[in-house]
Amino acid sequence: MINLRTTAIAISTAAAMFSVPAQADIVSSTSTSWQTSSTSWNVDLSNNNVSNFTAHVGTELINVSAVGVVDTGSGNATVTPGTKDTKFTSITFNPVNNVFTSFSFQGQLDILGSIFVEVNDNFGNTFTFSNVPANALFGPFGAAAVAGTGQYIDKVTVYSALPENFKSIKDIDFGQFTVAGAVPEPATWAMMLLGFFGVGFLAYRRKNQGHTRLA
């Protein structure tokens, strides 16, 4: 008769092998590989003291909203605090169509702190870039989809914590760049090997017991 304890171990290790947590479809990135003139955003007209405006990358429209009011230039514009409000801690970019797989930006903080990039995907990821210096160009910071996942950047919000306000956000890029999937961690490989061992050992036990019954 098959040893129930051996069977349970084999089944549990096999289950562990197939229950490895899925990797995120979008990951943080500081790559500049996709930053070209064709992926840079553009603002048609300069804006003063606005919370909402539109921009575009090529023919793709991007709706933009900020917490507090901001100013922008035209063309490959820089976003700065509006003259009526010195608080600028959050800005959201919302592409109308789901065609972009990468996003990046640069800028300056008023006070040393952290910048958060919240990306709408099925994992609801928020990426943190810590110890960002004040009054110095940071980045590029951003995110990119993992190749083969079919994931797109639906919406992305960039924000800081008070009083780490933005002095500017610039060099905003949306593109079709993807990154390779993450290599499994050692613990993941260990669970997979245990799963294979458990299934193999169970097959070996069954084979030997079959031979014993025929003897």
Side-chain angles (χ1 to χ4, degrees):
M1 186 174 181
I2 297 174
N3 187 301
L4 292 178
R5 183 179 180 185
T6 302
T7 303
I9 292 173
I11 292 173
S12 62
T13 52
M17 177 179 66
F18 293 109
S19 62
V20 176
Q23 298 293 330
D25 288 350
I26 294 178
V27 296
S28 65
S29 177
T30 56
S31 173
T32 60
S33 299
W34 66 84
Q35 295 173 340
T36 67
S37 58
S38 64
T39 60
S40 298
W41 89 332
N42 280 272
V43 179
D44 289 329
L45 299 173
S46 60
N47 296 281
N48 292 302
N49 298 316
V50 298
S51 295
N52 299 276
F53 62 96
T54 60
H56 59 89
V57 174
T59 59
E60 295 296 334
L61 185 67
I62 299 172
N63 294 318
V64 186
S65 59
V67 175
V69 296
V70 297
D71 295 343
T72 78
S74 59
N76 188 8
T78 297
V79 182
T80 57
T83 56
K84 292 182 179 178
D85 192 337
T86 59
K87 304 295 185 183
F88 173 35
T89 58
S90 177
I91 187 167
T92 297
F93 306 93
N94 195 352
V96 172
N97 298 311
N98 293 337
V99 297
F100 299 114
T101 58
S102 57
F103 165 77
S104 69
F105 65 100
Q106 293 183 272
Q108 287 190 29
L109 277 183
D110 188 47
I111 298 174
L112 182 147
S114 296
I115 294 173
F116 307 93
V117 179
E118 181 180 317
V119 180
N120 270 26
D121 70 349
N122 55 347
F123 291 94
N125 285 313
T126 298
F127 307 114
T128 303
F129 300 91
S130 302
N131 298 316
V132 180
N135 302 311
L137 182 66
F138 64 69
F141 298 150
V146 175
T149 60
Q151 184 64 253
Y152 293 90
I153 294 179
D154 176 41
K155 182 174 70 174
V156 58
T157 299
V158 175
Y159 62 95
S160 64
L162 287 171
E164 301 151 10
N165 298 319
F166 292 108
K167 295 185 73 172
S168 66
I169 287 182
K170 58 186 289 186
D171 297 333
I172 297 158
D173 275 66
F174 282 90
Q176 280 81 35
F177 179 80
T178 58
V179 298
V183 176
E185 296 180 357
T188 300
W189 284 115
M191 285 194 295
M192 292 175 67
L193 290 173
L194 282 172
F196 284 123
F197 174 79
V199 173
F201 184 70
L202 178 58
Y204 172 79
R205 291 272 301 179
R206 285 177 172 171
K207 181 178 178 181
N208 281 353
Q209 288 171 350
H211 288 168
T212 301
R213 285 194 295 269
L214 293 172

